[in-house]
Amino acid sequence: MRRHLAPIAAALAFATALPAAAETLAITGARILTAGPAGTLEPGVVVVRDGKIVSVGRGAPPAGARVIDASGAVVTPGLFATGSLLGAVEISALGDDLSVDNPQIGAAFDIREGLDPASTLIPVARTGGLTSAVVLPQPAGGGWDYHEDDGDVADDQLTSGGGGGPRPNTLFAGQGAVIRLNGGEDMVVRGGVGVVVAFGKAGAQSAGGARGAQTAALKAVLADVRAYAANRGAWEKGSYRELGLSKADLEALVPLVQGRTPLIARVHRAADIRAVLKLAREEKLKLILEGAEEGWMAAAEIARAGVPVIINPITNRPESFEILGATLENAARLHAAGVTLAFTGPEGAAHRARETRYGAGTAVAWGLPWDAALAAVTINPARMFGVGDRTGSLEPGKDADLVIWSGDPFEPLSTPKAVYIRGQAQSLTTRQTELRDRYLDLGRPLPPAYKHR
């Protein structure tokens, strides 16, 4: 099988030097996993022209096409890093562009405005077959850096949101964006894809203490937003009552209350998941759950509500009282109940985003059907965030975002041999591989910077 893969690498090197619109490309001989209506084609042919997929099927490549013989390889859509921090973080010493703690700017914070296409983490992500990411802001204060034990408790900690560091000034973390991982100035595919709100302990902290306080605060805010949308002119003239948010936040939340933008609820405990489902039902909000480590305990309710879920499929340790029910079977149980899944990677899917496919493989090992795992890192997140008509599956008319693998993409020993974004071959060189190559031969002359003058 592997004897066919050397020509793929050579073809990739050749393709990188060519503009995407200059030719028709045909990838032949591979097992094609489309994540779309065509299912699996073995062998199949993918034809690409001008950055778009022209056809996916069987038979001979079109006349005049440049052919890449991928016999023995596997071709999939490019993978998604969902719930990622890519483009907004680099190293901790530099800080990040993930959160705000400003009473005037919460929902209006748009993470796409600060993304860095030159981030050194993006090439590393591509080495894991990732071509797209859903980047989400983080709640100010977070609520993550607490240690739950039975030690001494101060008076200000006698509520769910007590302690845990400074209290944030806003209920809303901001708006997410879908990006392509080509490292170009055109990296943003779609902005404003959802408004992030932390629930549970972190949400209680943002509202001043208890979980119920957050629910009351959110309902009051949403009522204000609806009032603003219905009386914008009067409010602008100062002839309407005072509202509890800045104009920027009110404007940002109008699509949310109108059902055009989803609420992305970062929530963990089963009881909190049920509370969020109830809130969304009462307020008629479009909803996506993120985290949901105890989602399997409320799987029937989630499925009944038609709410999709973003999970890290390898979370199985009860690291806090909010995730005592965490299990590696979470993905399989949610899927069995009929819940649509998307997978995130470890540690915010940034420095370790390339490991997203390992999580998908782990979910398969713990009972999730293989095709469902592929959907969770391709077409499902694309549809969840409004770009399913452009990417996420191999279908005619969609962007040619695809990966040629040496084998099963969920097998750790398989590697991407070629990654295409909008039909353009991407470099698989990273800063790490450059350092490796620089010092691979210790017998060669030192680089100029190491020479004494």
Side-chain angles (χ1 to χ4, degrees), residues 11-274:
L12 173 62
F14 177 62
T16 305
L18 294 175
E23 62 182 352
T24 298
L25 175 70
I27 301 170
T28 67
R31 184 181 183 217
I32 312 294
L33 308 175
T34 68
T40 299
L41 303 171
E42 189 171 5
V45 178
V46 180
V47 179
V48 174
R49 183 183 305 120
D50 296 340
K52 297 287 186 179
I53 297 172
V54 176
S55 65
V56 182
R58 295 185 173 90
R66 183 169 64 81
V67 176
I68 291 181
D69 180 5
S71 298
V74 174
V75 175
T76 69
L79 307 187
F80 268 72
T82 308
S84 176
L85 312 181
L86 285 168
V89 299
E90 198 67 44
I91 60 173
S92 58
L94 297 178
D96 58 54
D97 290 288
L98 292 169
S99 61
V100 293
D101 192 11
N102 182 337
Q104 299 299 312
I105 301 293
F109 169 53
D110 192 337
I111 200 165
R112 66 179 147 171
E113 301 298 340
L115 298 178
D116 180 11
S119 168
T120 60
L121 304 185
I122 290 176
V124 177
R126 289 199 300 262
T127 66
L130 296 167
T131 61
S132 301
V134 181
V135 186
L136 300 179
Q138 304 295 297
W144 321 117
D145 297 327
Y146 54 84
H147 176 68
E148 297 180 343
D149 57 25
D150 293 322
D152 294 335
V153 181
D155 290 342
D156 69 348
Q157 292 179 300
L158 293 176
T159 57
S160 294
R167 186 167 292 152
N169 288 307
T170 177
L171 295 167
F172 302 95
Q175 303 175 56
V178 178
I179 64 172
R180 58 178 65 93
L181 301 179
N182 61 350
E185 295 300 324
D186 61 344
M187 70 185 300
V188 176
V189 178
R190 186 168 184 254
V193 298
V195 178
V196 176
V197 175
F199 288 86
K201 183 177 177 72
Q205 185 182 29
S206 71
R211 285 169 164 83
Q214 183 192 25
T215 301
L218 283 171
K219 286 188 172 185
V221 164
L222 295 174
D224 276 0
V225 174
R226 291 188 178 96
Y228 171 78
N231 302 277
R232 187 183 272 112
W235 187 88
E236 293 277 5
K237 294 176 183 178
S239 59
Y240 194 72
R241 68 178 176 87
E242 185 176 345
L243 301 176
L245 294 177
S246 67
K247 181 180 179 181
D249 276 359
L250 289 167
E251 288 283 359
L253 289 171
V254 169
L256 178 73
V257 299
Q258 293 177 344
R260 294 184 285 119
T261 297
L263 174 70
I264 303 170
R266 180 161 297 158
V267 60
H268 312 283
R269 195 175 71 174
D272 295 328
I273 291 170
R274 293 187 178 101

Side-chain angles (χ1 to χ4, degrees), residues 16 25 27 61-62 98 142 150 190 206-207 267 271 278 285 288 297 326 342 354 358 371 386 395-396 404 448:
T16 305
L25 175 70
I27 301 170
L98 292 169
D150 293 322
R190 186 168 184 254
S206 71
V267 60
K278 181 174 181 287
L285 302 176
I288 297 173
M297 299 169 70
R354 63 188 179 89
Y358 303 157
D371 288 346
E395 298 180 58
I404 303 176

